[in-house]
């Protein structure tokens, strides 16, 4: 009976060790996922509001003189339905006065049957807009990170973000792996 026990081998399970390669690989995966998230507004344009629930865009605030220099600010925009609009609310219209920005306008009248609203930018000129032309409403001002996301929604900004991520990964790789190798090589040369 002892003979059977002598033939039994016990295998030790190897424990998973977290090393520098795993940490660096995780950093690379996070950077790639972050770039994918940042590319969504660039790739999907207006649909990014539906995918993410918001988007960052430059908004021209109301009550500015049209013949002067207009000031805009990067704002967080959320989609808006006709049921949610009431008189006196401010909503956003894209491309007002033939440009590529969102303009903040005040709702003056709502017509549920024709799905239109009357609104004004400067309290003088009143325009009628179909509900499909309403780009949403301001959901808050942009912070530092929101400004980065807006920047990434342009081709030049996205390329800049890719370069910034690559530089950060290069520096991380250097300090995790290459710097130690150079120190070890320096020690070997001294001996």
């Amino acid at each position: 009976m002892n003979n059977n026990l002598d033939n039994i081998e016990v295998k030790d399970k190897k424990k998973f060790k977290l090393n520098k390669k795993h940490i660096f690989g995780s950093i690379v995966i996070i950077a790639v996922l972050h770039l994918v998230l940042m590319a969504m507004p660039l790739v999907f344009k207006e649909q990014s509001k539906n995918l993410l629930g918001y988007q960052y865009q430059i908004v021209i605030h109301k009550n500015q003189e049209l013949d002067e220099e207009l000031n805009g600010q990067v704002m967080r925009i959320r989609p808006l339905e006709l049921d949610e609009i009431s008189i006196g609310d401010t909503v956003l219209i894209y491309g007002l006065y033939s440009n590529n920005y969102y303009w903040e306008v005040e709702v003056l009248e709502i017509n549920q049957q024709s799905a239109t609203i009357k609104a004004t930018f400067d309290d003088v000129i009143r325009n009628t807009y179909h509900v499909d032309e309403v780009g949403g409403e301001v959901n808050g001002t942009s912070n530092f990170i929101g400004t980065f996301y807006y920047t990434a929604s342009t081709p030049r900004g996205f390329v800049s973000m890719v370069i910034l991520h690559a530089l950060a990964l290069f520096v991380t790789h250097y300090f995790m792996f290459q710097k130690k190798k150079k120190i070890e090589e320096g020690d070997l040369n001294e001996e």
Side-chain angles (χ1 to χ4, degrees):
M1 210 180 227
N2 280 344
N3 292 339
N4 290 339
L5 293 176
D6 293 336
N7 294 334
I8 297 176
E9 289 183 35
V10 177
K11 292 185 178 180
D12 292 333
K13 289 186 178 180
K14 289 187 176 182
K15 291 184 179 181
F16 177 75
K17 284 187 168 182
L18 188 65
N19 60 29
K20 288 182 181 182
K21 289 180 183 179
H22 295 113
I23 293 171
F24 184 72
S26 299
I27 292 171
V28 169
I29 289 171
I30 290 170
V32 168
L33 289 175
H34 187 247
L35 284 174
V36 168
L37 180 67
M38 290 176 68
M40 289 179 84
L42 177 65
V43 174
F44 296 114
K45 307 273 183 227
E46 291 297 314
Q47 291 81 15
S48 67
K49 275 191 289 194
N50 299 331
L51 293 170
L52 300 173
Y54 62 89
Q55 81 181 108
Y56 291 98
Q57 288 291 333
I58 293 179
V59 173
I60 307 295
H61 294 290
K62 62 186 228 66
N63 295 328
Q64 295 185 51
E65 295 296 325
L66 292 174
D67 57 347
E68 295 178 9
E69 182 178 345
L70 295 171
N71 295 319
Q73 182 180 5
V74 177
M75 304 291 281
R76 186 176 174 153
I77 299 172
R78 73 172 183 90
L80 185 68
E81 298 295 324
L82 184 61
D83 324 1
E84 299 174 10
I85 301 173
S86 60
I87 295 174
D89 286 351
T90 54
V91 296
L92 301 173
I93 304 294
Y94 182 76
L96 192 64
Y97 302 115
S98 302
N99 61 29
N100 296 326
Y101 301 111
Y102 280 93
W103 293 67
E104 193 175 46
V105 295
E106 182 180 348
V107 176
L108 302 173
E109 294 177 25
I110 302 169
N111 187 333
Q112 295 284 349
Q113 287 77 21
S114 63
T116 59
I117 62 168
K118 267 194 181 172
T120 181
F121 171 74
D122 58 1
D123 293 328
V124 176
I125 301 171
R126 297 169 181 231
N127 293 317
T128 302
Y129 305 100
H130 191 270
V131 71
D132 293 337
E133 294 178 270
V134 175
E137 74 174 334
V138 173
N139 194 24
T141 58
S142 171
N143 56 14
F144 187 67
I145 294 172
T147 304
F148 272 122
Y149 280 106
Y150 171 73
T151 303
S153 69
T154 64
R156 181 184 295 171
F158 185 73
V159 169
S160 299
M161 291 296 157
V162 169
I163 291 170
L164 183 66
H165 279 69
L167 183 64
L169 289 175
F170 175 77
V171 169
T172 304
H173 185 271
Y174 175 79
F175 280 111
M176 288 181 82
F177 300 108
Q178 300 300 324
K179 189 174 180 182
K180 186 176 180 181
K181 280 185 183 178
K182 288 185 178 183
I183 292 172
E184 288 174 357
E185 288 174 4
D187 291 342
L188 291 175
N189 290 339
E190 288 177 6
E191 293 175 2

